[in-house]
Each structure stands twice: as structure tokens, then as C-alpha cells.
Amino acid sequence: MGRLAAASLAGTAVEFYDFFVYGTAAALVLGPLFFPTFSPLAGTLAALGTFAVGFLSRPIGSALFGHIGDRYGRRPVMFASLLLTGCATVAVGCVPSYASIGIAAPALLLVLRFLQGLGLGGEWGGAVLLTAEHAPAKRRGLWASFPQIGPAVGFLLANGVMLALSAALSDEQFRSWGWRVPFWAAGLLAAGGLLLRSSLAETPQFTELAQAGKRASAPLAEVARGHWRLVLLTAGALAVGYAVFYTVSTWALAYGTERLGVSRTVMLGCIMAAVAVKGAVTPFAAMLGDRYGRRPLCLAGCAASAVWAFPMVGLLHTAQPLLMFLGFLGSMLAFITMFAVVAAYLPELYEPRVRCTGAAVGYNLAGVLGGALTPIVATAVAERAGSGPPWAVAGYLTLVALLSLGCFALLPETLPAAEKTEDAPEPAPA
């Protein structure tokens, strides 16, 4: 289990490094380089629009790779998704700016960002199921939480490289070529991830399905026909996690540097410190899920996200590093209270024959609802706040948290079922 967990964590760390490094670049430099004819605000919105494309393609990737995972095994998904995302990320670092090739530059960004999302949409399902389906039922939450640490590691790697380059280079050097270095580094990270995953075995549950001839012939059609309510509920339930995370990691970064005049180094340092704590807390929150159940922690995380939205925005607006860090930390702790357990929760909600497709599609649809639009909406509404705190951003987060709270309330607890059988009950109708 330790080797499997390490391989899953490393893979998701690399994949999310690729995904996050684009978000950081979009918040800091892509607007002026690829949308120079726009105003500063419009350029940032346009860059965040290309960022959102990656979320829109993630459900497509989850359906595509979910089909492979449910038909041919979880293991092939982990290789193909990592290879696709790594190649697309390296290519982003090679795209010439608008000044060199005109409109083709942002068009290429859109295509490559779409491919990034496609690969990431498949990664989560393969990595999570590799650990969840090998893990003993009473410790499934703990072992399945290791792929959930991967996003924190990937975020810290991506932003650590950006932070180092930002501190070491002049602003002109950073905007000219420095921002490209983290994208080129993705190639080496992807190669290392592929090597680490080369010796992994297929999961016992898929092997049993294959030997019994019970694999789904058309997993996506089966999910759409028999589990659509569950997919919509899980997507709505997880939306707040994405909204909270990308408000802190992407919108707050752009808002702090552009509107509050805080340096890139300070903003990245505050956000990275909060994400580091979140990563460290993940396995402990997962162990609570193994002891007390998945659903109670998810409900608590939603409630905490709603309660903390306004304090977080107020602390951010102070532009004081310590206070901004405390605001971000509260949001990250609320976030991980939910997302530490969803890697065990979602697989337990779906039957094994369609688990890779169902769990991944629900997880990545939540990214569209909560992650794709949040930086754009937050940037747009914050512009209307004038010189005061952008309370409308907090109001938006609160509404998303209440939506997710309602969806979690309609989902069943899976922990007792998980200890007795691998098939969890269907949730109450929406």
C-alpha cells in the first residue's frame, strides 16, 4: 500500500503541477503577453478564460479515460493521462507570444489548455481507484487520501518555481522567458512519474470483474442511464471545494498583485504556506473520515466554507501578509475537511463496473461548476467594489457552499456499507 500510495501521490502531484502552473501564469503574465490589445482587466479576464477551458475539458477527459479504466483497467489510465498532460504543458512553454504570431498565440493556448484538462480529467479516477481498490475497507479513507495530497504538492512545486524565478529575475526577464521555465520542467517531472508508475499492478476489483466477464461494455452510457442523479449530486456537492480553492489560489493572487499592490513574492508565499498546511492535514482528516464517516466531514467542510467566506475576503483586503495567510488558511482547512475524504467517498458511491467513469465524471463536473467560472466571476464582481473589500466574492462563495451543502445532505453515508460490501447504496432521489 505504501508503494501504491506513493506512486499515486507522485502522479497526481505532477499532473496538478502542470495544471496549476498555468493558473499561476494566467494570473501573473499571460494577459499582457497573449492579449496585449485588451485593457489590463480584460486581458486578465481573457487569460483566466483560457484557464477555464481546462476545466471544461476535464469531464470529457474523465469520460474518455473512464471508459478505458472500466473496460481495460485502472493502470493504463495512469500512464496515458500523465503522458498527455505532460506533453501539453511543455508545449505551452513553447508557444510564441501575440507579438510574434498574432491571434495564433492565444488560439494555441486554448488548444493546449484543453489537452491539459483532458489528461487531468482521467488522472484523478485512475490514481484514486488504484489506492482505493487495493486498500482495506477500514483504512480506505487514509490510503485513498494520498492522491489528494498530490494537488498540494503540485501547487507548491508550481508556485515554488514561479516564486524562485520571480525573485531571481527582473520583471522584464520574467515576462520575456522566465515564466516559460516551469512549463519546460513539466517534461522531466512527467518522465519521473511514468517511471515510478511502471511497476504498478492492476487493482484486485478490476481483475475480478475482468475474470468474471462483468466489465461494462459502455460505461458512460450505463452511468448516464442508471446513475445520472448520483453524478449530478456529487458534482454539485464538490463544487464548493473547487470554488474555494481557486478563489484563493488564482483569483486572490491576481487581486492581490493587481488591485492591492502586493508583490508577487508575498502573495505566492502566503498562498503556498496555506496550501502546505492543507497538504499536511489531509491524512489526518481522512482518518477522521474512516472513524466517523465521509458525509459528516463533507457537511462540516461546506458549513465552514460558508461561514469563513466573508472573514477570508476581509483579511485578504488588509494586504497584510500574516492576516492574508490566516484568511487563506481558514479556507484551505474548510476545503480539505471535505476533499480529504472524497477520494474514498466517491468510489464507494458507485458500483465497481462503472466506478472509474462515474466517480471521475462527477468529480470533474464539479470542477466546471466551481473551478472554471470562479476566478472569472470573482474578478468581474471585485471590479465593482471600488476601493472597498469585494464582499460580492464572499457572497458568491457562500451561495456555492449552500448549494453543495444541500447536495451532500441528499447523499448517503458509505462507511458502514464500505466495511461490509463494495457496493454502496444509491442516494435518495434529487
Side-chain angles (χ1 to χ4, degrees):
M1 283 308 308
R3 183 169 57 86
L4 291 169
S8 294
L9 189 158
T12 53
V14 173
E15 292 258 19
F16 277 92
Y17 167 89
D18 297 349
F19 202 73
F20 289 142
V21 78
Y22 190 101
T24 304
L28 295 178
V29 298
L30 295 188
L33 290 175
F34 291 89
F35 304 94
T37 60
F38 291 16
S39 68
L41 174 62
T44 299
L45 287 171
L48 292 175
T50 63
F51 172 74
V53 167
F55 285 98
L56 298 178
S57 62
R58 281 174 63 169
I60 301 173
S62 63
L64 171 64
F65 287 103
H67 177 88
I68 296 172
D70 286 326
R71 284 290 300 157
Y72 306 106
R74 322 310 192 197
R75 191 170 176 269
V77 171
M78 299 182 68
F79 286 92
S81 61
L82 183 56
L83 184 63
L84 175 59
T85 307
C87 290
T89 305
V90 173
V92 169
C94 300
V95 176
S97 67
Y98 186 94
S100 300
I101 61 174
I103 193 66
L108 284 172
L109 275 187
L110 282 172
V111 172
L112 293 172
R113 181 60 175 173
F114 182 89
L115 293 176
Q116 270 193 325
L118 209 66
L120 189 61
E123 164 66 24
W124 187 85
V128 163
L129 291 189
L130 185 78
T131 51
E133 292 188 343
H134 273 100
K138 291 184 178 181
R139 291 291 179 268
R140 184 175 295 129
L142 173 62
W143 289 115
S145 73
F146 280 87
Q148 295 297 80
I149 302 174
V153 176
F155 182 87
L156 293 173
L157 281 174
N159 287 276
V161 173
M162 282 287 190
L163 181 62
L165 290 168
S166 180
L169 302 176
S170 68
D171 191 65
E172 182 180 353
Q173 290 173 321
F174 183 79
R175 291 179 180 275
S176 174
W177 57 268
W179 69 270
R180 298 180 183 273
V181 174
F183 291 91
W184 297 336
L188 294 176
L189 293 174
L194 290 170
L195 181 64
L196 187 59
R197 290 181 167 185
S198 61
S199 61
L200 299 180
E202 187 54 75
T203 69
Q205 291 184 20
F206 179 80
T207 302
E208 291 175 8
L209 284 173
Q211 291 174 348
K214 295 182 179 181
R215 290 175 295 175
S217 57
L220 182 60
E222 196 168 319
V223 168
R225 184 172 57 250
H227 303 276
W228 64 270
R229 289 186 181 88
L230 182 55
V231 169
L232 293 179
L233 282 175
T234 52
L238 299 179
V240 65
Y242 282 96
V244 167
F245 189 88
Y246 287 101
T247 295
V248 170
S249 65
T250 302
W251 170 76
L253 178 60
Y255 181 82
T257 54
E258 295 174 9
R259 292 289 301 278
L260 302 179
V262 182
S263 71
R264 284 194 301 260
T265 303
V266 171
M267 287 303 303
L268 285 171
C270 291
I271 296 170
M272 288 171 62
V275 173
V277 176
K278 179 205 75 133
V281 168
T282 301
F284 299 100
M287 287 190 287
L288 291 177
D290 280 331
R291 184 175 179 84
Y292 300 108
R294 327 299 189 203
R295 189 167 168 267
L297 266 73
C298 291
L299 292 171
C302 280
S305 297
V307 170
W308 191 249
F310 282 89
M312 187 276 289
V313 169
L315 291 170
L316 167 64
H317 192 72
T318 67
Q320 298 298 314
L322 178 59
L323 296 180
M324 290 192 297
F325 163 71
L326 292 176
F328 299 153
L329 178 61
S331 294
M332 288 295 97
L333 293 178
F335 163 83
I336 205 57
T337 302
M338 295 174 281
F339 271 57
V341 298
V342 298
Y345 195 20
L346 262 66
E348 290 167 355
L349 286 168
Y350 291 88
E351 58 181 307
R353 57 185 279 115
V354 295
R355 181 174 285 161
C356 195
T357 301
V361 169
Y363 186 86
N364 287 293
L365 275 178
V368 177
L369 296 174
L373 296 178
T374 293
I376 299 173
V377 172
T379 299
V381 301
E383 182 66 17
R384 300 179 181 179
S387 59
W391 298 122
V393 175
Y396 171 77
L397 287 178
T398 301
L399 288 175
V400 177
L402 293 176
L403 166 68
S404 294
L405 189 67
C407 291
F408 273 124
L410 294 172
L411 288 170
E413 176 56 66
T414 59
L415 181 62
E419 293 178 352
K420 299 174 184 177
T421 177
E422 294 299 334
D423 293 335
E426 280 287 317

